Amino acid sequence: MSTSSPAHKMAVTFARILRGAGVDVPLDSVIVFVGALSHVGLENRDDVYWAAYSTLIRRHEDTPIFDRVFAIFWEQLIQVEQVEQIQETESVTLLVDSDDEQSDETNADAIDDENTITLRFSSIETLRDKDFAAYSESELREAEQFMTSLRLAGPPKRSLRLQQSNRSGGRQDIRRTMRAALQNDREPIERFWREPSTRLRRLVVLLDVSGSMEPYARALLRFMHAAVVGRQRVEAFTLGTRLTRITKELANRDPDRALARTSAQVSDWSGGTRLGECLQNFNDNWGVGGMARGAIFVILSDGWDRGDPQALAAQMARLKRVAFRVIWVNPLKVSPDYAPLARGMAAAMPYIDDFVEGHSLEALRELTEVISRESNSLRKAASHA
């Protein structure tokens, strides 16, 4: 194939965009992609998609980024009927939206070039599927802005407090009924009702800060901060060689101050993990007696534990009996060949309602959906009603 052919130029350009979006695309893959395009042509979208995907993508976690780049580049910017119009002098610029005015001026200069094909991504869009372990400090700050937009509502909890109701069949409101009767010659013409009110369920989040979780703990701690300041009734703890309550420290709306205070409060960063002992401490002093009762319980941990797995299983069973739902978030679950073989993870699995990933912003967004839906038992009850 000629190096000046439209297919060659588009293949090289597309590979360059994928690299700019964070996907590792080696040169030999680009060469194979060029050869594949020479056979399938550029007329059929599906043929081009699978030719690109099968030759350029080596990791399953890069698929969402690939899909978005493909849709923008091949369908919106480089239409097949425009291929013949592409000139040798054209170049591709990947622009990332930013709040920085200086960056905006630089982007504007790039756009002024009439021979430049420009793709624009928001900074969050490029980070959405990136693994937290590969984040820089500046990327963590950008990611926290996205975390603050997440809504951690959860299904409401039935309260003992009663409220006025427009539906009959609940508890009769004798006081309102009699008050209305006094205005109608003591005839109870209209009856009033009350029903239990609802309130937000407590959300309890425990973060594993042991050495094996260090690549993810700094990002997940920012997620916990966003949850504490953005939602009522949130409790936050860290797990390591000891259990530490950090709700008060994370309540400061300034993320830098909140994280600094948390770092000073937690003394076992990057140490060992004794999940069973920490959960026993929680159950004995906070959980079973009140904090975990009817709450949504979220554990952020890879499951590696130096303690007795039987002790962890016993404490998970205690927690399961009183919590509304137990959710375990494991950043390692994203790996296609992952299996919960770690002793702690295997011991906890029978008592977990939802086992989800936690390695990226997209995974945290999916976690918010899990938190917001009803428990499995309630869904089954509703289906049989």
Side-chain angles (χ1 to χ4, degrees):
M1 171 182 282
S2 172
T3 58
S4 61
S5 69
H8 177 273
K9 288 185 290 187
M10 293 180 70
V12 172
T13 299
F14 182 61
R16 197 184 312 166
I17 296 301
L18 279 179
R19 291 194 187 105
V23 179
D24 181 23
V25 182
L27 179 60
D28 58 342
S29 296
V30 180
I31 296 174
V32 176
F33 179 38
V34 172
L37 283 183
S38 66
H39 288 87
V40 302
L42 300 173
E43 290 76 19
N44 186 285
R45 178 194 182 280
D46 290 341
D47 290 343
V48 176
Y49 174 93
W50 288 112
Y53 185 87
S54 61
T55 57
L56 302 179
I57 299 301
R58 298 187 174 189
R59 302 190 310 165
H60 175 72
E61 52 266 36
D62 290 332
T63 299
I65 298 178
F66 173 85
D67 288 342
R68 285 194 289 272
V69 172
F70 182 88
I72 295 172
F73 187 82
W74 292 94
E75 297 178 2
Q76 298 180 18
L77 299 176
I78 312 293
Q79 297 296 333
V80 171
E81 59 266 25
Q82 296 175 333
V83 169
E84 299 299 331
Q85 301 176 5
I86 297 179
Q87 303 298 320
E88 289 291 338
T89 56
E90 286 182 333
S91 61
V92 176
T93 302
L94 178 66
L95 299 183
V96 179
D97 288 339
S98 172
D99 295 333
D100 188 359
E101 294 181 358
Q102 183 176 358
S103 297
D104 292 341
E105 294 176 359
T106 303
N107 291 347
D109 293 339
I111 295 173
D112 289 340
D113 186 353
E114 61 180 5
N115 291 325
T116 298
I117 300 173
T118 302
L119 295 186
R120 181 176 293 275
F121 292 84
S122 69
S123 56
I124 291 300
E125 194 70 15
T126 60
L127 294 177
R128 185 182 292 268
D129 296 288
K130 186 174 183 178
D131 196 291
F132 286 143
Y135 269 41
S136 66
E137 192 63 33
S138 61
E139 289 174 333
L140 283 174
R141 293 178 181 274
E142 293 176 8
E144 187 165 16
Q145 298 178 4
F146 175 81
M147 294 177 187
T148 57
S149 68
L150 298 176
R151 294 293 174 260
L152 302 170
K157 181 180 181 180
R158 191 181 183 94
S159 173
L160 296 177
R161 180 173 297 180
L162 299 178
Q163 63 182 3
Q164 296 180 8
S165 173
N166 295 325
R167 299 181 300 171
S168 60
R171 298 187 183 183
Q172 188 169 351
D173 191 338
I174 302 297
R175 181 175 296 179
R176 290 183 65 209
T177 301
M178 294 304 298
R179 188 182 298 119
L182 291 175
Q183 299 176 2
N184 294 284
D185 295 329
R186 300 184 179 181
E187 291 291 335
I189 297 175
E190 183 177 8
R191 291 191 297 173
F192 295 89
W193 306 88
R194 295 194 297 173
E195 63 181 2
S197 62
T198 59
R199 61 175 178 169
L200 193 65
R201 286 188 182 275
R202 180 180 285 111
L203 176 65
V204 182
V205 186
L206 275 66
L207 171 62
D208 183 347
V209 294
S210 64
S212 62
M213 278 289 291
E214 185 175 7
Y216 299 97
R218 55 179 184 158
L220 296 177
L221 184 62
R222 292 177 181 269
F223 171 71
M224 292 174 68
H225 172 252
V228 171
V229 300
R231 183 190 191 273
Q232 297 178 341
R233 308 195 73 205
V234 178
E235 293 288 345
F237 295 80
T238 60
L239 298 168
T241 55
R242 53 176 289 186
L243 179 74
T244 306
R245 189 179 185 182
I246 56 173
T247 307
K248 182 178 179 181
E249 286 72 20
L250 291 179
N252 192 308
R253 290 193 172 274
D254 185 325
D256 292 331
R257 290 184 179 180
L259 296 180
R261 292 178 179 179
T262 301
S263 297
Q265 177 71 6
V266 179
S267 61
D268 53 346
W269 286 102
S270 302
T273 317
R274 297 192 177 276
L275 297 177
E277 295 179 13
C278 290
L279 280 182
Q280 182 177 2
N281 187 353
F282 176 83
N283 286 334
D284 291 344
N285 296 289
W286 287 288
V288 175
M291 187 179 291
R293 190 169 296 277
I296 301 171
F297 201 84
V298 180
I299 301 176
L300 308 169
S301 173
D302 57 8
W304 289 99
D305 184 23
R306 293 184 178 181
D308 182 5
Q310 296 301 321
L312 175 59
Q315 298 307 317
M316 288 292 296
R318 291 179 64 192
L319 184 64
K320 173 68 174 176
R321 285 193 289 266
V322 297
F324 175 74
R325 186 194 293 127
V326 178
I327 304 172
W328 195 294
V329 181
N330 190 332
L332 304 182
K333 187 177 181 289
V334 65
S335 177
D337 57 350
Y338 173 80
L341 301 179
R343 294 194 310 164
M345 197 72 259
M349 285 300 294
Y351 310 100
I352 297 173
D353 295 304
D354 297 279
F355 186 44
V356 300
E357 301 170 3
H359 67 292
S360 66
L361 289 177
E362 181 62 20
L364 293 184
R365 186 196 63 78
E366 294 174 358
L367 170 62
T368 62
E369 296 180 355
V370 174
I371 291 175
S372 297
R373 69 174 183 242
E374 294 182 347
S375 67
N376 295 331
S377 59
L378 288 183
R379 290 200 301 272
K380 291 179 181 178
S383 65
H384 292 298

